[in-house]
Amino acid sequence: MDTARAQRLPRDQRRAQLLAAATRAFSDRGYHAVAMDDVAEGAGVSKPVLYQHFASKLELYLALLDSACQELVDMVAGALASTTRNSDRVAAAMAAFFGFVAARGSSFRFVFESDLRTEPEVALRIRAVHQELAAQIGAVIAADTGLEQPEAELLGFSLIGMAETGARYWLDEPAGVARERAVELASTLAWRGVRGFPRASAE
């Protein structure tokens, strides 16, 4: 028997190994072209071992999606909490988004440009992460401008859309604009829009 297949690992380590193999497979070939056999082979385990951890290919995909979405939420939350100056918050949040894209590369594509976006459970998660990010950003905007929370969250969604679209374009055209410059341009555009609203109080 292959020693890699025979090796016993703690459950959390085995799960991490399987998720890493699934990330590579889905990123390289897309969800529909990958079979559970491919993931098991990539992880060096038997298919029964894979099914001990994930009951279906969709469950495996959703685990990857949940992890990636939580990572993005945490990065943006950390950026917003890193300073009290709102112009710097905008820049930090934009840098976090571009950093997420730069770090995850093809994984970003299969999460946010997936051929499964119409799958109800996937769509629900994508909507939830956008809502969470909009709530975080909207809370800052509401405090700064005095806008009602629904209006502030609308602006939050708009800023997220700009960040996602800009980051995706930058990822596809890596030789065109340096990452630092891309963040600077997107941040400047976003901040000039936000600061156009009357302030609730002076800093």
Side-chain angles (χ1 to χ4, degrees):
M1 177 181 291
D2 189 324
T3 56
R5 291 182 182 274
Q7 183 182 11
R8 298 183 65 85
L9 294 175
R11 185 172 181 83
D12 59 341
Q13 292 183 29
R14 179 66 76 194
R15 180 182 173 85
Q17 177 193 39
L18 296 172
L19 289 173
T23 296
R24 292 191 297 270
F26 290 139
S27 298
D28 291 344
R29 300 170 55 192
Y31 178 84
H32 293 296
V34 173
M36 291 291 268
D37 286 307
D38 300 321
V39 177
E41 181 67 26
V45 302
S46 65
K47 192 159 69 170
V49 169
L50 176 57
Y51 277 110
Q52 287 174 10
H53 293 263
F54 300 100
S56 68
K57 185 170 70 166
L58 179 58
E59 182 180 314
L60 176 58
Y61 185 88
L62 292 175
L64 290 170
L65 179 60
D66 287 340
S67 177
C69 288
Q70 188 59 54
E71 181 182 349
L72 178 58
V73 167
D74 290 345
M75 289 176 70
V76 173
L80 293 175
S82 67
T83 178
T84 58
R85 185 178 176 84
N86 287 330
S87 58
D88 293 339
R89 279 176 165 161
V90 170
M94 199 66 68
F97 212 104
F98 274 77
F100 175 80
V101 172
R104 299 192 68 85
S106 57
S107 295
F108 171 87
R109 287 193 172 94
F110 86 73
V111 171
F112 292 103
E113 299 179 355
S114 170
D115 49 359
L116 276 188
R117 288 184 75 104
T118 57
E119 168 66 37
E121 292 186 73
V122 173
L124 182 65
R125 283 163 166 80
I126 296 298
R127 177 68 177 175
V129 74
H130 282 148
Q131 287 178 325
E132 175 63 24
L133 293 172
Q136 289 181 12
I137 296 170
V140 173
I141 293 173
D144 188 56
T145 64
L147 289 173
E148 296 294 329
Q149 191 64 26
E151 295 179 337
E153 287 194 14
L154 174 64
L155 294 178
F157 269 108
S158 300
L159 290 175
I160 291 164
M162 184 182 74
E164 181 176 336
T165 301
R168 285 163 56 184
Y169 174 80
W170 171 80
L171 185 65
D172 290 335
E173 302 289 339
V177 182
R179 175 175 157 189
E180 293 78 9
R181 178 60 174 162
V183 170
E184 179 185 1
L185 290 168
S187 300
T188 299
L189 177 61
W191 175 241
R192 286 181 177 176
V194 171
R195 75 177 182 181
F197 290 89
R199 295 181 57 78
S201 60
E203 289 186 353

